[in-house]
Amino acid sequence: AMAESKYIAIDASPDKLISKAYLSRAVEPFETAALEALLTSCKHTNGQEQVTGALLYHGGYFMQLIEGFDEAVERTYARIVSDSRHEIISVLFEDHISARFFPDWSMGFRTSEGADAASIEAIYETASRSAARFPINDFLLLFGNDGD
């Protein structure tokens, strides 16, 4: 049993990058000002944790991808879960990654105004039906043409 737990500890070493995406529902719809405040605090904390990622907000639902070293991602996710302004519906994606999807962003952001509403709808549709089929490529594409 000793060797087994040691193996797990090695596997969870802090130099492992992981990516995690989740879907959640806002308890109350977020106005623009509230979204901007959320993003500002998000970017600040993520900057300190070296967590990067992207956030979608559409029709009262959030979809967020966070990535970084596993302990930082877990701490960040724990903070997200404890935020009473939304409730997590499901974790859509969680995996080790060899490189970050969003290396330059403390938090990219899209709303249905800022992106193609149809593609956002499609992503939410797929994600809400089955977490196993989270359309990670479609999600990335939404952020792909961004200069910041």
Side-chain angles (χ1 to χ4, degrees):
M2 275 310 287
E4 202 173 281
S5 62
K6 195 192 268 174
Y7 171 71
I8 289 163
I10 290 166
D11 200 40
S13 67
D15 61 344
K16 287 276 173 74
L17 282 174
I18 64 168
S19 173
K20 186 168 191 156
Y22 69 87
L23 178 67
S24 75
R25 181 172 40 229
V27 175
E28 306 255 313
F30 274 65
E31 301 302 320
T32 307
L35 282 169
E36 282 169 3
L38 176 73
L39 268 164
T40 304
S41 81
C42 193
K43 285 178 174 175
H44 176 72
T45 317
N46 291 353
Q48 289 179 322
E49 287 276 23
Q50 293 179 294
V51 166
T52 53
L55 175 68
L56 269 180
Y57 179 73
H58 176 61
Y61 288 85
F62 288 101
M63 195 180 288
Q64 186 174 30
L65 183 146
I66 53 175
E67 58 190 3
F69 298 121
D70 50 11
E71 288 173 12
V73 167
E74 289 311 331
R75 276 195 301 273
T76 303
Y77 185 70
R79 259 198 313 277
I80 290 167
V81 171
S82 65
D83 188 327
S84 59
R85 295 172 296 176
H86 72 146
E87 48 201 16
I88 305 282
I89 297 170
S90 67
V91 171
L92 303 168
F93 176 84
E94 186 168 15
D95 211 352
H96 286 280
I97 51 174
S98 52
R100 293 175 190 255
F101 295 119
F102 301 104
D104 304 329
W105 288 348
S106 54
M107 193 48 57
F109 180 61
R110 284 277 181 280
T111 64
S112 39
E113 290 84 68
D116 175 25
S119 13
I120 294 186
E121 277 295 337
I123 292 172
Y124 276 88
E125 270 302 298
T126 312
S128 56
R129 276 201 308 274
S130 158
R133 289 201 306 274
F134 174 56
I136 183 94
N137 291 335
D138 297 344
F139 183 87
L140 298 175
L141 276 174
L142 274 180
F143 294 89
N145 56 3
D146 214 48
D148 67 287

